[in-house]
Amino acid sequence: MAGPGVEVMLDNAKDSANPADASLGTIYDRDIQAVVDALFASGAEAIAVNGQRLTTRTAIRDAGAAIPKPL
């Protein structure tokens, strides 16, 4: 694809002062799915996550506790 685009960067929040709230600032697979769904619903023609091209049928799910960072 070529043309105008947008880059969305998601990151975990800085450590909370209260350890009980630590999971509140964590990015999960469902958060990434919500952003991707919103982009497709807005008319995005091409979407990639960490360099991997997605389609409307691509499943986004976790495989452990972390989303891998790009190399």
Side-chain angles (χ1 to χ4, degrees), residues 14-65:
K14 293 184 180 186
D15 293 336
S16 171
N18 182 355
D21 294 337
S23 66
L24 294 177
T26 303
I27 300 295
Y28 292 101
D29 56 327
R30 62 184 171 264
D31 301 318
I32 297 170
Q33 184 67 58
V35 171
V36 168
D37 287 346
L39 290 169
F40 275 125
S42 298
E45 295 179 13
I47 298 175
V49 173
N50 286 348
Q52 297 296 311
R53 182 80 179 267
L54 306 181
T55 71
T56 56
R57 300 178 63 103
T58 301
I60 296 177
R61 58 180 184 257
D62 64 8

